[in-house]
Amino acid sequence: MTHPFPEPAATAALVARLRAAGCVFAEDEAAALLDAAGTPDELASMAVRRIGGEPLEQVIGWAAFDGIRVRVLPGVFVPRLRTTLLVRIAAASAARSVDSAATRIFDIGCGSGGIGAAVATRVPGVEVWAVDVDPDAVACARLNLPPERVLLGDLYAPLPDGLRAQVICANAPYVPTDAIALMPPEARDHEHRVALDGGPDGLTVQRRVIAGAGTRLVEGGSLLIETSRAQAALTAAAATAAGLIVTIHTDDDVEGTVVEARLA
Ligand SMILES: C[S@@+](CC[C@H](N)C(=O)[O-])C[C@H]1O[C@@H](n2cnc3c(N)ncnc32)[C@H](O)[C@@H]1O
């Protein structure tokens, strides 16, 4: 469909401004901005935000993730392609155990809620509970998941007492504190620090996720933790030390690494 505005010359100028600002896919980004903007004024303000370095997904309000559109609000972590590996493993585990509406997953450190939303799309009927400590992330995830099951708080703390899941998904922050300065400005300046900072070795939050998993998984359930290739051995060792049975999954196509830790 042809957009009612702006004139072709103005579109070309927008592409040129985006390209000059360093946007590699300037034509695609201009098309996305045109599609998202309701008025010329809105388009102008979106263009200024994007040219100022805000991630495109935060500007247009959604990200393409695992075949679905996930709503994304300013400051909230933009779901990454690499995380589709965790989604696929979670969906396969959930599908194996889906024989009733009782199959449940937890999305801990849910951000936008993209993981939970993608798994629920792949495995209809699965019950998703999501938690984040960042109120902006919770507000965002409530747009992508049943809002009554998106909870604000620290890791497992806000979940109902005694509630257990077949699969716990955790893409918790895992960037070592010192490495945050080396991240692209789009992440460093526009995603909240709590979404990135994994502490001195990157594993501070992961270790707490692992420590709490035993009382939140059903027998035979799996904790899935996204990590980096370089940190996978450390993450795996932490899970092994907690008595979990560990498998490391990698996918070079999406550059994903996931540590699966099963409760015996
Ligand atoms: C790397 S982002 C990932 C977001 C989302 N899971 C995704 O894959 O797009 C990490 C998320 O964990 C959240 N987080 C950090 N520490 C947390 C904690 N102690 N309890 C709950 N959430 C936490 C952050 O607010 C952030 O939304």
Side-chain angles (χ1 to χ4, degrees):
M1 192 179 80
T2 312
H3 205 278
F5 63 88
E7 296 301 317
T11 303
L14 174 61
V15 170
R17 285 169 66 208
L18 291 166
R19 185 163 292 120
C23 301
V24 178
F25 303 107
E27 281 89 358
D28 294 343
E29 294 210 10
L33 291 171
L34 279 163
D35 201 45
T39 65
D41 282 352
E42 206 180 342
L43 178 63
S45 107
M46 285 181 163
V48 167
R49 287 171 60 193
R50 179 62 187 130
I51 287 162
E54 201 171 331
L56 178 70
E57 294 84 350
Q58 291 179 358
V59 174
I60 63 175
W62 61 273
F65 179 65
D66 197 50
I68 61 172
R69 273 191 182 204
V70 175
R71 292 285 310 276
V72 179
L73 297 179
V76 175
F77 189 86
V78 177
R80 307 294 207 267
L81 177 63
R82 60 177 174 264
T83 305
T84 58
L85 173 61
L86 190 154
V87 168
R88 279 184 272 128
I89 299 167
S93 299
R96 269 197 298 279
S97 57
V98 166
D99 55 2
S100 71
T103 299
R104 183 177 299 126
I105 72 162
F106 295 156
D107 182 354
I108 301 297
C110 64
S112 64
I115 292 174
V119 174
T121 302
R122 282 176 175 258
V123 189
V126 76
E127 181 184 297
V128 178
W129 291 75
V131 178
D132 205 287
V133 77
D134 177 354
D136 289 340
V138 168
C140 184
R142 285 182 177 154
L143 303 174
N144 292 310
L145 290 167
E148 67 281 6
R149 296 205 188 104
V150 180
L151 309 174
L152 176 67
D154 180 49
L155 303 185
Y156 307 102
L159 293 168
D161 283 348
L163 197 71
R164 290 177 182 254
Q166 278 81 7
V167 183
I168 298 175
C169 304
N171 180 18
Y174 57 85
V175 181
T177 304
D178 287 349
I180 290 177
L182 309 175
M183 294 183 80
E186 275 192 25
R188 197 171 9 108
D189 298 339
H190 296 282
E191 292 175 329
H192 291 169
R193 180 136 182 144
V194 69
L196 307 175
D197 193 345
D201 67 352
L203 269 77
T204 299
V205 186
Q206 288 185 354
R207 286 193 186 92
R208 296 182 55 233
V209 170
I210 290 166
T215 56
R216 287 298 185 171
L217 281 172
V218 302
E219 203 179 305
S222 290
L223 166 64
L224 304 175
I225 302 182
E226 178 174 309
T227 186
S228 68
R229 191 70 71 97
Q231 291 163 297
L234 273 181
T235 305
T240 303
L244 301 168
I245 300 161
V246 168
T247 310
I248 298 176
H249 302 262
T250 58
D251 181 334
D252 291 339
D253 288 343
V254 299
E255 297 181 11
T257 303
V258 170
V259 170
E260 177 173 13
R262 209 159 39 78
L263 191 63

